[in-house]
Amino acid sequence: MSQYILETEDVEYEYPDKTRALQGISLGIQKGKKIVVMGPNGAGKSTLFLHFNGILKPKKGRVFFDGKQVEYNRRYLTQLRKKVGIVFQDPDTQIFAGTVFQEVSFGPMNLKLEADEVKNRVNKAMADAGVCDLAQKPTHLLSYGQKKRVCIAGVLAMEPEVIIFDEPTAYLDPKHSHILLGTLDELHQSGKQVIVSTHDPDLAYSWADYVLIIKDGKLLEAGSAEKVFMDDEILKQADLKKPLLLEISEVLQQKGIVGKKYPKTVEELKGIL
Amino acid sequence: MLLDGFAYSNRLRNIHPGEKMAFSLITMVIGFFPSIYSCGLIILIIAAAVILIGKVPVKTYLRLMLLPVFFLVASLLPILINTGVNPDSTLIYFIFFKSTIGITYNSLIKSGLLFMRSMALVSCLYFISLTTPILDIIAVMKKLKLPDILIDLMFLVYRQLFVMMDTAESIYVAQNARLGYATFSSGINSLGRLVSYLIIKSCSDAQRLYTALVSRGYEGELKVLEPSYNTSIKNIILIAAIDTVLLIIALKTGGTIK
Ligand SMILES: Nc1ncnc2c1ncn2[C@@H]1O[C@H](COP(=O)(O)OP(=O)(O)O)[C@@H](O)[C@H]1O
Ligand SMILES: [Mg+2]
């Protein structure tokens, strides 16, 4: 068994219009860690994710799932997509069905499950994503936040091992971002591998075990949240702001108010002070 | 889009869509019989079903029924009013230069009948659109084994319509806020940009939707779990009874007013 659930090795990818979105990227997603992928717009995060479930095939290099090289035949890809789910950024380009229930049933139906099993899975996924009360609502009458949760339910219903969230908090208000983070934590605790991309350093710092920073289709840096965000040079290169909490604790340390401690939440900071 | 909202919220929503469609279609066929009595009855029965049972507000329903009336009146006028009529057989007439213009007994019946028939058929259509969401209609079409590709297309077009409307609206608001529609020429310009943006966006949306569907195991068929409706013997008997009565009335009184 590999230590990595997903790995890439010198992966290069070029879009048909010759945009070189990935330029030899090598990285590993460690099993059981809360992973955040960061990087400026156009860095190649979404393109990378599409390699994780075999939608895109690298022009050069290799992709591994659980230590085994990804094959690009239909049978393998079906299995891979069952195990690696992606929640894309824009719900309007994911939702196609009429009612929430129908939408969420799409994935399990493609897994060719029995109708009863589909129903069970849909109900469970809707409960986990908090959209049970919307089951019979038409999808086009939902709010943005509701649509987002329906997309999550749609992926959960397939019961993947890995769930990738591409910029899940974009356009969400702070309250719904917070609820979403709770959902991510629950998923992590229930044993799913969660991978999130975001622009928000504060979110990344407080949530992630492990941060990967991507720039220009290459891996710029990877490591624990503290390690990555304390490296001012890397932050500058990646055009990232230092997380507020980290900044505060660094100031407090310089002034000798606290020892070498790195609180991840405001509550932890209060506890230390 | 008003209709769409009612289709989801009305009280007849949970009745088997096949039963509702059967009722609407059979009644529509009966509505073709030229009888003022059966047509009048159809209009009343459907209004009662939609308003009393479906709980669609009376005002909304009347407003919807008024829409076709405008068109109808315009097209019925030439049938109702004739020139060169024989003054003896007209109900009302006046002489304009040398010809008589008037309404005859015959033209009154003819246009009255046409009016009632049109309204009866419109009622049947409203019955379906106010009580049955498109998706249920599509589900019935699936059961009737219509080609999958046709049904999937209807499905996607219907869904994308709302996405595009949302986009169009937000762009329109943004353009308007910057006075994009202040003058006629800038309005034309803004509208052109809006349309071209919508077309480009639809293409990229389609690509993204496809990617998202493939990620969830799409292999060329949009399969979702259709809701199961219970067929109700009671409803079927009721539909059969109403339509039989209507049919008898239509056949007995068809064509004339006594
Ligand atoms: N479908 C596409 N066709 C052509 N170029 C694309 C396409 N999708 C993304 N790109 C380009 O590839 C690069 C990486 O994009 P992406 O992976 O979406 O970045 P990120 O998700 O980090 O913002 C960008 O320069 C982008 O313009
Ligand atoms: Mg992206």
Side-chain angles (χ1 to χ4, degrees), chain B:
Chain B
M1 295 309 130
L2 176 81
L3 294 185
D4 199 66
F6 283 115
Y8 282 99
S9 61
N10 83 91
R11 295 279 184 83
L12 292 166
R13 158 94 201 261
N14 290 325
I15 290 179
H16 196 294
E19 290 167 12
K20 287 183 282 193
M21 285 169 76
F23 173 65
S24 172
L25 285 175
I26 297 171
T27 312
M28 215 183 264
V29 171
I30 298 172
F32 275 105
F33 284 96
S35 154
I36 255 180
Y37 300 107
S38 60
C39 289
L41 213 53
I42 290 172
I43 295 171
L44 287 179
I45 290 173
I46 288 182
V50 170
I51 294 167
L52 298 179
I53 309 176
K55 301 283 179 214
V56 172
V58 181
K59 246 175 131 177
T60 312
Y61 192 70
L62 287 181
R63 250 196 13 239
L64 286 171
M65 289 300 274
L66 221 55
L67 281 175
V69 167
F70 288 117
F71 294 101
L72 263 177
V73 166
S75 45
L76 285 178
L77 278 180
I79 300 176
L80 184 63
I81 299 165
N82 293 297
T83 54
V85 291
N86 179 359
D88 297 336
S89 64
T90 50
L91 299 173
I92 313 161
Y93 74 95
F94 58 92
I95 298 178
F96 186 72
F97 292 107
K98 270 185 189 146
S99 63
T100 38
I101 300 177
I103 299 173
T104 65
Y105 181 70
N106 246 333
S107 72
L108 184 66
I109 290 180
K110 236 183 174 168
S111 51
L113 207 52
L114 201 57
F115 178 81
M116 293 300 274
R117 276 165 84 189
S118 309
M119 293 308 281
L121 297 183
V122 166
S123 297
C124 294
L125 285 179
Y126 275 143
F127 177 78
I128 275 297
S129 14
L130 284 167
T131 63
T132 316
I134 285 255
L135 299 159
D136 287 356
I137 297 176
I138 289 175
V140 171
M141 291 169 59
K142 252 184 194 166
K143 286 246 165 66
L144 295 178
K145 302 265 180 278
L146 273 102
D148 278 339
I149 180 81
L150 186 83
I151 293 169
D152 287 350
L153 269 177
M154 270 184 70
F155 214 52
L156 290 176
V157 167
Y158 169 74
R159 159 89 193 125
Q160 284 314 110
L161 207 64
F162 288 95
V163 175
M164 294 232 329
M165 268 187 355
D166 273 355
T167 316
E169 196 181 312
S170 59
I171 298 172
Y172 178 79
V173 170
Q175 287 178 327
N176 219 353
R178 288 175 291 158
L179 302 181
Y181 293 92
T183 65
F184 181 72
S185 68
S186 70
I188 295 286
N189 192 354
S190 299
L191 193 65
R193 279 165 202 276
L194 193 153
V195 170
S196 63
Y197 178 82
L198 277 184
I199 292 170
I200 293 168
K201 183 164 188 307
S202 306
C203 292
S204 73
D205 277 2
Q207 183 61 47
R208 276 180 210 194
L209 181 64
Y210 179 73
T211 304
L213 292 182
V214 171
S215 289
R216 286 202 282 155
Y218 173 72
E219 280 175 349
E221 199 191 337
L222 291 173
K223 285 171 292 189
V224 296
L225 194 63
E226 304 296 346
S228 53
Y229 289 94
N230 297 324
T231 43
S232 140
I233 300 289
K234 215 178 84 193
N235 284 342
I236 294 174
I237 293 175
L238 189 68
I239 292 167
I242 292 176
D243 282 334
T244 312
V245 171
L246 283 173
L247 188 64
I248 292 169
I249 293 174
L251 289 175
K252 287 259 182 230
T253 61
T256 49
I257 295 178
K258 302 276 150 42

Side-chain angles (χ1 to χ4, degrees), chain A residues 86-212:
Chain A
I86 305 183
V87 180
F88 293 93
Q89 189 177 336
D90 181 7
D92 275 330
T93 53
Q94 292 171 76
I95 297 177
F96 71 95
T99 65
V100 171
F101 187 94
Q102 290 177 337
E103 173 67 26
V104 178
S105 74
F106 178 68
M109 285 297 276
N110 287 332
L111 298 180
K112 309 202 167 50
L113 303 168
E114 295 293 317
D116 280 339
E117 172 67 7
V118 172
K119 220 180 265 173
N120 288 341
R121 284 208 186 186
V122 172
N123 285 328
K124 183 165 183 309
M126 288 195 305
D128 289 344
V131 289
C132 270
D133 45 336
L134 304 176
Q136 292 311 322
K137 261 210 151 189
T139 48
H140 61 266
L141 298 180
L142 303 176
S143 75
Y144 186 86
Q146 288 171 331
K147 282 185 198 164
K148 199 106 195 182
R149 276 185 283 152
V150 169
C151 292
I152 295 175
V155 172
L156 286 182
M158 296 183 77
E159 301 186 351
E161 293 168 29
V162 184
I163 305 183
I164 301 173
F165 292 86
D166 198 356
E167 305 199 18
T169 55
Y171 308 118
L172 278 190
D173 58 36
K175 183 185 150 214
H176 283 101
S177 292
H178 188 77
I179 295 175
L180 186 87
L181 280 187
T183 311
L184 297 188
D185 271 331
E186 279 164 24
L187 288 174
H188 172 73
Q189 268 145 31
S190 71
K192 305 258 186 228
Q193 178 81 44
V194 182
I195 303 172
V196 177
S197 77
T198 178
H199 286 297
D200 183 348
D202 293 313
L203 185 155
Y205 179 68
S206 61
W207 186 80
D209 295 328
Y210 197 81
V211 178
L212 298 147

Side-chain angles (χ1 to χ4, degrees), chain A residues 6-41:
Chain A
L6 283 159
E7 263 175 289
T8 65
E9 192 183 280
D10 296 320
V11 166
E12 288 181 24
Y13 186 80
E14 192 177 273
Y15 279 103
D17 68 349
K18 303 281 177 233
T19 311
R20 294 184 61 204
L22 295 179
Q23 310 183 8
I25 195 164
S26 299
L27 51 79
I29 304 288
Q30 286 176 52
K31 279 184 187 165
K33 293 229 163 130
K34 296 197 269 185
I35 309 284
V36 165
V37 177
M38 296 200 78
N41 277 325

Side-chain angles (χ1 to χ4, degrees), chain A residues 50-80:
Chain A
L50 292 177
H51 281 81
F52 283 163
N53 75 348
I55 297 275
L56 297 180
K57 186 179 170 184
K59 206 182 106 196
K60 267 204 198 116
R62 298 190 291 176
V63 181
F64 299 88
F65 177 80
D66 206 4
K68 287 188 265 313
Q69 191 175 343
V70 170
E71 295 163 33
Y72 293 88
N73 57 53
R74 200 166 122 183
R75 245 191 59 221
Y76 187 91
L77 288 178
T78 307
Q79 287 304 312
L80 182 65

